C-alpha cells in the first residue's frame, strides 16, 4: 500500500506533555527543546528571565506574577523531520481538571525529576493519570550540574513510589553527587559537560568519546572512571533490559540524566525521545477504535479558554485531532448541538503569536473560535463518521466558597464572567434555591482555582468579588424516585447545604465523609452520587 500524505504526517508527529513538580525545570526544558527546534533563537536564561524576558510557554499575567504555569499552552515546532506538539501542563501544587484534560490529549508524557529532590508529590499525582491511560512515560532527571542523589537511589524511588520500572538511557559520571558528564549506554560513549557562561542560552557541543579511551581515564581520574565502569557493569547485569513493548505500554520508563539550564543532555534526550515515542494513537469511540489514518476527520475538545490574550478578547476551544485531515474552512458535525459548524479561523500557537492554519493532522492541536457552543469532551467529526469519543471523567469538587460582586452595579459582568469560567471548566457553579443571582457557590478541586477565579474576574471582567470560604469538603448529587427534592426533604442533613448545580439538579454540600455516611443512613431511599447523574465516570 502506498504511503499517503496522511500516513506520512501521522508518522512524523509526536504530541506530549511535560509533567513535573514546580521548579523541577519544566519551563527551562520546554524552552531548550524550542531552542533546538529552531523555534526560538535565544532561550530566556535564568538571568534574563528575571528581568524582562519571560519563558515562551507561560503567557498569562498571573503566571508571570506568581512564576507558575496556570493554564496549559500548546507549542508546535519541527525537529529533524518530526513535528512536535508540546502541551504544557500546570505545574502548581493544586491538581486541576485542566491538567487532567491536557493529559487526555497527548500520546506520551515526559516526566521531569529534580536530581536533588527525586520524585515529589505533584509528579506523583500527574503520573497516576498517565499510568491510567497507559501512555509511554519518559523520565528526564534534571539539574545534573548540581549536587544530586545517587542515580541508583533515584531509579529505586521511581520503581517504589511510582510503580514503574526504569531503564537508564545514560548514566551520570561522578562520585557523591558531583557530576561532570554522562555515559551514553546505547553508543557506549562518554559525554562531558561544557559551560560557556551563557547559562545555556546557546546550543553547545559536548566532548564525546569511547569509555575505554585513555584520554577520559585521565580527564576523569582513576577513581571516577572505575566507579563509572562498575556502575555500567551492574546496570547491564542487574538492571531491566531495554524493551520497547513495555515502554509503549507505559510499564518501563526510559530515563535520561541531564541539565536543562546548561543544555547538557537535552539534544540527546530530544533525539532519543523522538525515536522511541509513539506517533498519534488509536482512539476508542462509540463505533469502535478510530485509527489516526482513517480518512474521516475526527477530533475532541479538551480545553476551553476565554480571554487568553488581552489583545484578542475571545473564547477558544482547543481540539485534539484524532484522525483524518483538518482543513481551514471545513464544516464538521458537532455532536452535542447536533449541528454542522464551519471551522473558519483555526489557530495554532507559539505562546502569544497566533497563526491561522490551513491544515492540520492527527496529533495536532488547533484552537477554534468558540461562539459558546463547545463544551469539554465534545466530539467533532465528518458527517460520514457520526461518532462520539467517551466523555471526560468528572472531578468531584472538594472546596467551596460563596462569591458575589463587591459592587452590586457590576452584577451583569459578574454573571457573565462566572458563567464563562464555569463553561471553561475552571470551577463548578452552584446556587442556593430562592436566593437569586446575587451570590453563587463555587466548587473547585484546589485553592489555587479560587485565586485564579478572583484574578480573572477582576482582570478580564473588571469585577472585584467578595469570597467567603465554606466549611464543606464533599458534594453529592441527590435523587429520589418521582420526588422533587427540596432543602427539607432529607433527614439528618441540617448541617449540610442544599444547592442546585448549573442544570438545576439538587446537590448536597457536606463537611466530611463521616457526615455523608450519617445522612445516607438516615435517608436510605435517596441516591447519592459523587458526579452528576448523567455522568458515570468520576476521578477519585
Ligand atoms: P518549572 O517550570 O518546572 O517550575 O521550573 P523552571 O524551568 O522555571 O526552573 C525552576 C528553577 O530551576 C529556575 O531557577 C531554573 O533556572 C532552574 N533550573 C532549571 N533547569 C536547571 C538545571 O539544569 N540546573 C540548574 N542548576 N538549575 C536549573 P530560578 O532561580 O527559579 O530561576 P528564574 O525562573 O527565577 O529565573
Amino acid at each position: 500500500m502506498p504511503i499517503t500524505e496522511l500516513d506520512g504526517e501521522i508518522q512524523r508527529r509526536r504530541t506530549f506533555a511535560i509533567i513535573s513538580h514546580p521548579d523541577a525545570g519544566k519551563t527551562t526544558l520546554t524552552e531548550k527543546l524550542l531552542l533546538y527546534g529552531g523555534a526560538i533563537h535565544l532561550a530566556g536564561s535564568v538571568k534574563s528571565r528575571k528581568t524582562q524576558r519571560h519563558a515562551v510557554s507561560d503567557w498569562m499575567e498571573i503566571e508571570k506574577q506568581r512564576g507558575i504555569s496556570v493554564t496549559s499552552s500548546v507549542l508546535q515546532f519541527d525537529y529533524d523531520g518530526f513535528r512536535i506538539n508540546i502541551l504544557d501542563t500546570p505545574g502548581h501544587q493544586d491538581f486541576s481538571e485542566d491538567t487532567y484534560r491536557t493529559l487526555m490529549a497527548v500520546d506520551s508524557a515526559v516526566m521531569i525529576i529534580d536530581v536533588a529532590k527525586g520524585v515529589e508529590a505533584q509528579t506523583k499525582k500527574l503520573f497516576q493519570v498517565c499510568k491510567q491511560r497507559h501512555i509511554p512515560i519518559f523520565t528526564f532527571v534534571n539539574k545534573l550540574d548540581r549536587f544530586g542523589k545517587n542515580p541508583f537511589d533515584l531509579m529505586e524511588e521511581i520503581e517504589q513510589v511510582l510503580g514503574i520500572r526504569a531503564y537508564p538511557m545514560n548514566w551520570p559520571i561522578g562520585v557523591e553527587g558531583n557530576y561532570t558528564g554522562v555515559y551514553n549506554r546505547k553508543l557506549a560513549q562518554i559525554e562531558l559537560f561544557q559551560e560557556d557562561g551563557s547559562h545555556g542560552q546557546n546550543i553547545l557541543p559536548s566532548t564525546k568519546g569511547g569509555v575505554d579511551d585513555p584520554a577520559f581515564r585521565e580527564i576523569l581520574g582513576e577513581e571516577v572512571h572505575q566507579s563509572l565502569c562498575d556502575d555500567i557493569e551492574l546496570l547491564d547485569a542487574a538492571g531491566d533490559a531495554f524493551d520497547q513493548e513495555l515502554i509503549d505500554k507505559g510499564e518501563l520508563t526510559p530515563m535520561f540524566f541531564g541539565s536543562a539550564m546548561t543544555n547538557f543532555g537535552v539534544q540527546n534526550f530530544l533525539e532519543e525521545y523522538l525515536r522511541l515515542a509513539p506517533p498519534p494513537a488509536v482512539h476508542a469511540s462509540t463505533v469502535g477504535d478510530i485509527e489516526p489514518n482513517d480518512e474521516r476527520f475526527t477530533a475532541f475538545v479538551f480545553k476551553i479558554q476565554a480571554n487568553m490574550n488581552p489583545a484578542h478578547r475571545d473564547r477558544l476551544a482547543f481540539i485534539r485531532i484524532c484522525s483524518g485531515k483538518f482543513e481551514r474552512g471545513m464544516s464538521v458535525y458537532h455532536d452535542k448541538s447536533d449541528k454542522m459548524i464551519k471551522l473558519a479561523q483555526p489557530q495554532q500557537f507559539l505562546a502569544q503569536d497566533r497563526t491561522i492554519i490551513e491544515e492540520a493532522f492527527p496529533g495536532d492541536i488547533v484552537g477554534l473560535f468558540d461562539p459558546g457552543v463547545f463544551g469539554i469532551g465534545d466530539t467533532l467529526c465528518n458527517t460520514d463518521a457520526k461518532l462520539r469519543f467517551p466523555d471526560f471523567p468528572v472531578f468531584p469538587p472538594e472546596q467551596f466558597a460563596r462569591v458575589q460582586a463587591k459592587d452590586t452595579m457590576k452584577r451583569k459582568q459578574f454573571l457573565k464572567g462566572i458563567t464563562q469560567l464555569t463553561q471553561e471548566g475552571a470551577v463548578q457553579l452552584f446556587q442556593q434555591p430562592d436566593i437569586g443571582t446575587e451570590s453563587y457557590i463555587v466548587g473547585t478541586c484546589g485553592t489555587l482555582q479560587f485565586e485564579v477565579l478572583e484574578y480573572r474576574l477582576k482582570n478580564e471582567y473588571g469585577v472585584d468579588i467578595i469570597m467567603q470560604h465554606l466549611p464543606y469538603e464533599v458534594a453529592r448529587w441527590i435523587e429520589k424516585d418521582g420526588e422533587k427534592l427540596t432543602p427539607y426533604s432529607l433527614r439528618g442533613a441540617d448541617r449540610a447545604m442544599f444547592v442546585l448545580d448549573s442544570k438545576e439538579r439538587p446537590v448536597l454540600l457536606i463537611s466530611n465523609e463521616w457526615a455523608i455516611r450519617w445522612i445516607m443512613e438516615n435517608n436510605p431511599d435517596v441516591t447519592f452520587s459523587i458526579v452528576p447523574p448523567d455522568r458515570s465516570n468520576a476521578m477519585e
Side-chain angles (χ1 to χ4, degrees):
M1 200 174 75
I3 300 218
T4 61
E5 180 200 12
L6 185 58
D7 277 319
E9 292 294 343
I10 292 165
Q11 287 313 316
R12 75 189 193 98
R13 271 176 174 65
R14 296 290 181 275
T15 301
F16 67 97
I18 302 183
I19 60 178
S20 74
H21 196 80
D23 272 353
K26 182 164 57 99
T27 315
T28 313
L29 183 68
T30 308
E31 270 189 344
K32 293 308 165 69
L33 296 177
L34 292 175
L35 182 70
Y36 279 98
I40 54 172
H41 298 292
L42 198 64
S45 74
V46 173
K47 232 173 142 216
S48 55
R49 271 176 50 198
K50 282 221 167 92
T51 51
Q52 80 284 55
R53 197 187 299 270
H54 289 286
V56 179
S57 65
D58 51 346
W59 64 40
M60 274 184 78
E61 269 308 308
I62 191 165
E63 296 180 336
K64 290 181 204 159
Q65 280 188 0
R66 302 180 47 124
I68 51 171
S69 278
V70 175
T71 58
S72 316
S73 48
V74 185
L75 303 167
Q76 186 180 64
F77 65 98
D78 287 341
Y79 182 86
D80 197 19
F82 286 95
R83 170 121 332 154
I84 300 158
N85 294 305
I86 306 183
L87 278 63
D88 189 12
T89 54
H92 49 74
Q93 306 283 349
D94 281 358
F95 180 77
S96 73
E97 288 193 58
D98 198 31
T99 313
Y100 182 89
R101 294 176 192 138
T102 299
L103 293 174
M104 295 289 280
V106 299
D107 300 306
S108 57
V110 169
M111 169 168 73
I112 304 186
I113 291 174
D114 184 324
V115 69
K117 297 190 174 146
V119 179
E120 296 172 88
Q122 177 71 2
T123 324
K124 200 173 155 187
K125 260 182 170 174
L126 292 169
F127 177 88
Q128 291 308 336
V129 178
C130 298
K131 213 174 159 195
Q132 260 179 4
R133 287 203 54 216
H134 302 289
I135 54 173
I137 295 159
F138 294 76
T139 305
F140 186 83
V141 181
N142 193 27
K143 307 196 185 181
L144 207 63
D145 55 311
R146 283 205 199 147
F147 187 84
K149 289 189 177 182
N150 177 305
F152 283 111
D153 291 346
L154 285 167
M155 272 174 79
E156 174 78 11
E157 214 172 284
I158 290 177
E159 292 175 7
Q160 292 299 324
V161 181
L162 302 177
I164 182 172
R165 313 285 298 176
Y167 179 88
M169 302 293 291
N170 60 17
W171 195 251
I173 302 173
V175 278
E176 314 239 335
N178 264 322
Y179 301 119
T180 50
V182 289
Y183 169 75
N184 181 324
R185 288 180 79 192
K186 193 178 81 182
L187 303 175
Q189 253 190 8
I190 285 176
E191 297 174 16
L192 295 183
F193 288 140
Q194 267 186 18
E195 249 289 28
D196 67 349
S198 77
H199 281 289
Q201 283 196 330
N202 306 315
I203 296 175
L204 290 177
S206 53
T207 313
K208 295 180 185 163
V211 70
D212 299 326
D213 186 335
F216 283 110
R217 195 176 279 271
E218 201 162 301
I219 296 170
L220 297 176
E222 188 57 40
E223 190 194 352
V224 173
H225 192 268
Q226 192 52 48
S227 134
L228 173 67
C229 294
D230 293 346
D231 282 359
I232 294 167
E233 207 179 300
L234 184 61
L235 271 182
D236 289 345
D240 280 277
F242 182 87
D243 186 330
Q244 183 74 47
E245 226 172 89
L246 292 181
I247 294 173
D248 292 344
K249 286 196 275 188
E251 291 173 17
L252 182 72
T253 176
M255 187 177 184
F256 299 80
F257 292 85
S259 156
M261 191 181 79
T262 61
N263 294 336
F264 192 81
V266 174
Q267 189 167 17
N268 178 259
F269 165 73
L270 178 60
E271 287 176 358
E272 286 297 308
Y273 166 79
L274 292 171
R275 194 172 66 83
L276 302 175
V282 168
H283 282 83
S285 81
T286 44
V287 298
D289 283 352
I290 300 296
E291 295 283 346
N293 64 359
D294 193 317
E295 295 281 332
R296 297 169 301 180
F297 170 81
T298 63
F300 61 82
V301 178
F302 69 96
K303 174 184 166 68
I304 291 179
Q305 193 168 348
N307 313 322
M308 212 158 63
N309 181 340
H312 306 255
R313 286 220 159 264
D314 48 29
R315 201 167 105 134
L316 290 174
F318 289 86
I319 59 168
R320 143 93 199 206
I321 301 175
C322 300
S323 70
K325 181 176 172 181
F326 173 96
E327 281 166 335
R328 178 181 172 186
M330 77 194 291
S331 288
V332 295
Y333 175 72
H334 176 235
D335 72 309
K336 284 277 164 62
S337 63
D338 193 25
K339 283 198 177 108
M340 295 300 290
I341 295 180
K342 190 169 159 121
L343 309 178
Q345 287 201 316
Q347 314 213 356
Q348 256 166 357
F349 296 89
L350 182 60
Q352 271 147 351
D353 303 330
R354 297 178 174 198
T355 43
I356 300 283
I357 53 151
E358 297 299 328
E359 55 180 33
F361 295 91
D364 285 345
I365 308 299
V366 177
L368 301 173
F369 276 109
D370 178 14
V373 294
F374 296 125
I376 305 284
D378 288 4
T379 303
L380 295 175
C381 56
N382 278 2
T383 33
D384 48 352
K386 283 228 174 162
L387 51 84
R388 279 193 65 187
F389 292 115
D391 277 336
F392 279 25
V394 175
F395 284 74
E398 289 167 8
Q399 298 190 28
F400 303 87
R402 182 193 300 283
V403 291
Q404 67 186 89
K406 231 179 218 164
D407 178 354
T408 44
M409 301 294 284
K410 294 260 173 95
R411 242 190 35 220
K412 218 171 131 197
Q413 290 97 309
F414 169 68
L415 201 63
K416 184 174 171 210
I418 204 146
T419 311
Q420 282 209 346
L421 296 176
T422 307
Q423 282 164 354
E424 273 182 32
V427 293
Q428 292 184 44
L429 202 59
F430 303 97
Q431 201 172 9
Q432 279 179 287
D434 312 323
I435 238 184
T437 54
E438 202 111 299
S439 80
Y440 283 91
I441 310 289
V442 291
T444 69
C445 303
T447 329
L448 188 81
Q449 275 110 297
F450 288 125
E451 283 177 42
V452 173
L453 176 76
E454 192 166 5
Y455 180 89
R456 292 190 58 188
L457 281 173
K458 185 176 170 58
N459 282 275
E460 294 165 25
Y461 302 91
V463 185
D464 282 308
I465 56 168
I466 302 171
M467 183 158 11
Q468 178 202 356
H469 291 273
L470 300 171
Y472 306 112
E473 283 177 10
V474 269
R476 288 288 183 273
W477 273 258
I478 47 176
E479 279 183 300
K480 191 173 173 184
D481 262 353
E483 196 179 310
K484 188 171 185 304
L485 294 171
T486 71
Y488 313 103
S489 314
L490 278 80
R491 286 178 293 273
D494 316 347
R495 302 182 71 172
M497 181 185 262
F498 183 96
V499 291
L500 300 173
D501 73 1
S502 52
K503 291 189 181 159
E504 310 232 321
R505 293 172 297 209
V507 180
L508 218 50
L509 307 185
I510 311 157
S511 54
N512 55 47
E513 294 287 341
W514 187 88
I516 294 179
R517 273 201 301 280
W518 170 255
I519 298 172
M520 285 171 77
E521 276 167 23
N522 275 286
N523 299 277
D525 44 356
V526 174
T527 319
F528 295 80
S529 11
I530 53 173
V531 288
D534 57 348
R535 303 293 295 273
S536 54
N537 41 354
M539 275 297 290
E540 291 278 8

